[in-house]
Amino acid sequence: GENVEQHPSTLSVQEGDSAVIKCTYSDSASNYFPWYKQELGKRPQLIIDIRSNVGEKKDQRIAVTLNKTAKHFSLHITETQPEDSAVYFCAAGSQDSGGSNYKLTFGKGTLLTVNP
Amino acid sequence: DTGVSQDPRHKITKRGQNVTFRCDPISEHNRLYWYRQTLGQGPEFLTYFQNEAQLEKSRLLSDRFSAERPKGSFSTLEIQRTEQGDSAMYLCASSLRQLKETQYFGPGTRLLVL
């Protein structure tokens, strides 16, 4: 099955700096890569996703890059703010053989702390 | 709130008791997923429904676990004869037919088995 590794497990940055979180996956059939933000005691919230037919996607201060050959993808947050502090999860998804289910395999998460 | 909802939000039970959780997906989402999340880990897939049909179950889902989605709307997850190792956050997610890969999560039910 799919295996997703996420690094680092914790990341501390100063407000205004950039933060980068990296993930690798093992299954070449994976073609969908979402990132979720989870604040303490709250639900995981989708912040950005990328499909395997593109190499980069940007949404304001957040960007995701994908290298299919190397099987890794990264989340980039620029101009970080204290409210960016949370746990961030990457995931890799692929369709099952029947084509109906998109199973997501998650990384273990990165605790991002943005210091004012 | 028109997002995925789950009930209860917290459950404390004694070992050996049965518990049941409910998930209400976003309206018109035909796919529904159950995940388990333990401390310091990402969500782990348990099972998946397309409408009322349960199409896939993880090996994590032992015989003590059963899930249903009888009318293709809300779903229930029951754990029988709970064990301390069942203590976790149980998350539900749903997705649209047209955008089946994009999953939206509920707030979860935190289970503590004493």
Side-chain angles (χ1 to χ4, degrees), chain B:
Chain B
D1 186 356
T2 56
V4 179
S5 61
Q6 293 186 244
D7 183 72
R9 296 290 309 277
H10 304 272
K11 179 70 177 180
I12 300 174
T13 191
K14 293 182 179 179
R15 190 174 50 187
Q17 298 294 304
N18 299 344
V19 294
T20 300
F21 310 141
R22 175 178 171 130
C23 170
D24 286 87
I26 296 172
S27 179
E28 297 178 356
H29 279 201
N30 68 327
R31 289 174 171 79
L32 187 148
Y33 304 81
W34 284 100
Y35 290 85
R36 183 173 69 187
Q37 186 178 25
T38 53
L39 201 61
Q41 303 292 320
E44 294 175 292
F45 171 79
L46 291 179
T47 190
Y48 153 72
F49 289 86
Q50 182 174 320
N51 300 314
E52 65 277 5
Q54 187 174 18
L55 296 185
E56 186 170 349
K57 292 194 289 186
S58 163
R59 286 172 294 177
L60 292 175
L61 215 64
S62 76
D63 292 343
R64 297 184 296 106
F65 288 70
S66 63
E68 294 182 343
R69 195 183 182 197
K71 298 181 180 179
S73 56
F74 73 90
S75 175
T76 58
L77 178 68
E78 181 183 17
I79 309 175
Q80 295 182 327
R81 304 181 303 281
T82 52
E83 302 173 355
Q84 288 184 326
D86 297 332
S87 296
M89 174 77 85
Y90 290 85
L91 292 162
C92 176
S94 68
S95 66
L96 260 177
R97 182 193 316 274
Q98 296 88 342
L99 285 172
K100 54 189 173 185
E101 64 270 24
T102 306
Q103 297 181 23
Y104 298 92
F105 281 85
T109 295
R110 184 169 294 282
L111 173 66
L112 178 61
V113 181
L114 301 177

Side-chain angles (χ1 to χ4, degrees), chain A residues 11-17 19 21 36-43 45 47 61-62 77-89 110-116:
Chain A
L11 179 59
S12 182
V13 300
Q14 289 299 121
E15 183 177 1
D17 288 350
I21 302 171
Y36 287 84
K37 174 184 180 181
Q38 188 173 30
E39 296 176 66
L40 190 63
K42 296 192 176 180
R43 71 186 74 197
Q45 288 205 307
I47 56 171
R61 297 185 296 108
I62 294 173
I77 306 174
T78 59
E79 300 170 22
T80 53
Q81 301 166 2
E83 49 265 39
D84 294 330
S85 297
V87 177
Y88 291 80
F89 292 98
T110 296
L111 174 61
L112 173 64
T113 303
V114 180
N115 301 301

